[in-house]
Amino acid sequence: GGVVLQEARLNGGMIPEPDPALARALADDLAAAGYTGARLRALWGVAADEAIGRGRALPARREAAATDSAVAVLARLFFLGSPVRESEASAALSNVTIGGAERLGLVRMSSGSVTPSVMIRPQAYVDEHGAGEWWIASDIDESVRPGPLPEEHVLGVGGASLTLAGLQLPTSAARVLDLGSGCGIQSLRARRDSPDVTATDISEAALRFTRLNAQLNAVDGIRTLRGSLFDPVQGEVFDRIVSNPPFVITPRGADVPAYEYRDGGLTGDALVRDIVMGAGVHLVPGGIAQLLGNWEYVDGQDGLHRVRDWIAASPVPLDAWVIERDRMDPIAYAELWIRDGGTVPGTDEFETMLAAWLDDFESRGVREVGFGYILLRRRTEGSPALLRFERVEGAIGPNAALGMHLAESLRAHDRQARLSDAEVAEAVLLVAGDVTEARHYLPGAEDPSVIELRQGGGFGRTLAVDPALAALVGASDGDLPVGRLIAAIAELLEVDPEALLSDLLPRVRGLLDDGFLTFAGGEASPSA
């Protein structure tokens, strides 16, 4: 609040400060029409729905135009970005009215036609509290509007947004900071685990969408502050920080648009560096920050080593778990983000921007760009350190909720790291319920040439193991302690039990960290 109201945008600009009463009336209209993801998929069918995911709205438009039901009218208007007749809009928006929707900055009316200024799309969610659906308003995206996006564009819910929402730890937090809120999807997700959420963004338009989306979904407890990075919350600390920051590495110059939703205005990966190095002082001891980011591979320096250096430079000690999911060469990276802004390959604009990107990367010796997840924790005095940097390859489902897996892995690490080897040997363990084993044999062989443990949940890891570790995992049924199982396995394999114990205990710790094994009884570490 406390901002100067501005006029509704025309072809870009900023929505007015949202009016709570009008937002509630609009929510009533959306609910009365049954404006849900399931209803929309039923309206235009599976094939058209999949085409929308590929950026093709025409098939859905054709299906939605075949009926004048309220849900079809709202779908054409707010999902597909198409004008509708004034009479249709008036019937579908009977509570908020067309005039109220105009005052919210959602539509424009002229000559008997109502044209959308924003998108409002249903977004389903599932977490430990249950399942539900939000309505998320944002600027009209490139899937339904022609040409490049305006630089002040406020993005809706994309793949990165869903990834971070799934990564958020499903544990309670007294205070949460959503750094770079955009349309507010992370704030809504965080509010389900916290009574006090602060959303910051450099874009006033983004903050207004955050406020509108909170009002549309009857969510209170979200404070919005305008400013860059941690500037709006100087002196404040939080139990949790979440951020899907504008991490895209973008060349500086007139030839490349500086999209607010993805370009932080700094050179290279400096914005992610600044967040990593600045997060610790805004966390309570034991507090956790989670963000997405890009990092550069510069003249032979490993990208994960680069992130490690940032963490080491934090003014407060940090634990870290950094997961690199992908790497791209400079050409593919540039092409991805040029297309993301709506510039079509084969045009002069595309070639000019590609040249600018490649010049920038070459001038700074960038050979590759990594993408992944960063989890930071402000270390508490006397707690075991966690410094984990890894590459996790392979497909993970787009809606995979990894937050619970991360929380359980942190608890398991904290517990096993406090135990001596003798105490781990005394621990009673269970194989996780999502773990399966695969054995591969050469034709005619009695013994397997490869034994793999496969994880059904989490990151879907596959680990090649030797017969001794496979036997230990298979025997971990919550009955006997690790040390006794290893002694029995050593006897069967006719190997030295002490040597086998020394070999297997470090790997048992790793299996606990990754969620292949769990402690029987499920006791949690108090620090997690």
Side-chain angles (χ1 to χ4, degrees):
V3 298
V4 178
L5 301 187
Q6 300 190 21
E7 293 183 2
R9 58 161 147 229
L10 296 174
N11 298 317
M14 192 186 308
I15 61 170
E17 180 63 24
D19 180 293
L22 291 176
R24 287 193 297 272
L26 174 61
D28 290 341
D29 287 326
L30 297 173
Y35 190 66
T36 67
R39 284 288 300 277
L40 296 181
R41 285 187 292 274
L43 175 66
W44 48 61
V46 173
D49 198 61
E50 291 177 349
I52 291 173
R54 298 191 298 270
R56 300 288 181 264
L58 177 62
R61 284 198 181 105
R62 290 165 62 92
E63 297 295 331
T67 174
D68 61 357
S69 65
V71 69
V73 171
L74 293 174
R76 299 204 307 270
L77 189 66
F78 291 129
F79 199 107
L80 301 171
S82 301
V84 300
R85 295 191 301 273
E86 181 181 352
S87 58
E88 293 178 314
S90 181
L93 299 172
S94 60
N95 287 292
V96 70
T97 74
I98 296 174
E102 282 189 299
R103 291 194 294 278
L104 282 171
L106 309 183
V107 301
R108 310 187 299 275
M109 187 174 69
S110 68
S111 304
S113 179
V114 178
T115 301
S117 298
V118 306
M119 302 180 74
I120 303 173
R121 289 183 166 180
Q123 180 59 56
Y125 62 84
V126 180
D127 61 20
E128 73 285 359
H129 303 296
E133 197 165 60
W134 293 306
W135 294 302
I136 303 296
S138 67
D139 278 329
I140 297 175
D141 68 24
E142 75 282 357
S143 69
V144 297
R145 62 170 291 157
L149 300 173
E151 292 188 10
E152 67 276 10
H153 180 79
V154 177
L155 193 67
V157 179
S161 302
L162 294 176
T163 295
L164 183 59
L167 287 170
Q168 284 198 41
L169 300 187
T171 51
S172 61
R175 300 190 73 207
V176 176
L177 171 63
D178 177 8
L179 190 73
S181 66
C183 68
I185 180 68
Q186 306 306 329
S187 291
L188 292 175
R189 171 63 187 85
R191 183 63 182 81
R192 290 176 62 76
D193 291 315
S194 174
D196 184 347
V197 175
T198 296
T200 68
D201 205 293
I202 199 169
S203 165
E204 178 57 33
L207 294 176
R208 291 188 184 186
F209 272 117
T210 294
R211 293 193 285 272
L212 173 60
N213 288 325
Q215 293 168 10
L216 270 179
N217 295 287
V219 175
D220 59 7
I222 298 176
R223 174 181 63 150
T224 57
L225 298 173
R226 186 179 183 185
S228 177
L229 299 182
F230 297 104
D231 288 349
V233 292
Q234 286 301 311
E236 297 188 51
V237 292
F238 301 85
D239 301 86
R240 189 80 44 78
I241 297 172
V242 295
S243 183
N244 180 15
F247 56 73
V248 176
I249 297 167
T250 307
R252 310 265 66 86
D255 291 334
V256 179
Y259 292 117
E260 289 181 346
Y261 74 90
R262 71 182 201 190
D263 177 12
L266 301 180
T267 299
D269 53 16
L271 182 125
V272 177
R273 176 203 65 198
D274 289 353
I275 294 175
V276 168
M277 292 175 60
V281 297
H282 293 283
L283 290 170
V284 301
I288 288 174
Q290 294 180 269
L291 64 143
L292 308 181
N294 280 170
W295 40 85
E296 296 177 328
Y297 286 69
V298 180
D299 286 334
Q301 182 189 23
D302 187 285
L304 288 180
H305 292 171
R306 187 175 178 85
V307 180
R308 183 190 292 268
D309 290 343
W310 299 342
I311 292 163
S314 167
V316 299
L318 292 175
D319 290 329
W321 187 359
V322 182
I323 298 168
E324 184 175 82
R325 293 286 295 130
D326 196 11
R327 269 186 286 176
M328 300 183 76
D329 65 75
I331 299 172
Y333 186 88
E335 290 176 341
L336 169 68
W337 292 111
I338 296 170
R339 289 194 304 268
D340 175 79
T343 301
V344 181
T347 62
D348 291 342
E349 292 82 1
F350 190 97
E351 296 301 313
T352 299
M353 280 192 263
L354 178 58
W357 242 290
L358 298 183
D359 288 345
D360 175 62
F361 282 138
E362 185 176 353
S363 70
R364 295 183 295 103
V366 178
R367 306 305 176 208
E368 287 184 295
V369 178
F371 168 81
Y373 321 143
I374 299 176
L375 185 151
L376 307 172
R377 180 170 59 181
R378 182 165 179 171
R379 193 174 302 157
T380 55
E381 186 175 353
S383 65
L386 170 63
L387 291 171
R388 184 172 183 177
F389 301 82
E390 60 178 327
R391 295 179 175 90
V392 178
E393 300 178 352
I396 296 176
N399 295 316
L402 294 172
M404 181 59 75
H405 174 72
L406 293 178
E408 291 173 347
S409 293
L410 288 176
R411 285 194 291 266
H413 168 270
D414 291 347
R415 183 172 178 190
Q416 66 84 5
R418 287 187 170 90
L419 300 178
S420 66
D421 283 351
E423 289 170 324
V424 173
E426 290 297 318
V428 178
L429 305 181
L430 286 167
V431 61
D434 64 336
V435 173
T436 58
E437 182 186 277
R439 295 185 175 228
H440 304 270
Y441 294 82
L442 293 173
E446 293 186 4
D447 297 321
S449 56
V450 177
I451 305 174
E452 292 177 333
L453 299 178
R454 296 176 177 175
Q455 188 177 53
F459 289 105
R461 299 175 191 269
T462 296
L463 298 178
V465 296
D466 56 34
L469 187 57
L472 175 60
V473 171
S476 295
D477 57 4
D479 185 18
L480 297 176
V482 171
R484 288 180 61 185
L485 291 176
I486 292 176
I489 293 167
E491 184 175 353
L492 287 173
L493 297 178
E494 298 180 347
V495 298
D496 179 64
E498 290 300 320
L500 187 62
L501 185 71
S502 298
D503 174 57
L504 291 185
L505 285 184
R507 292 195 278 165
V508 167
R509 292 182 186 270
L511 291 175
L512 285 165
D513 286 354
D514 289 340
F516 285 84
L517 293 173
T518 64
F519 288 100
E523 299 93 335
S525 163
S527 71

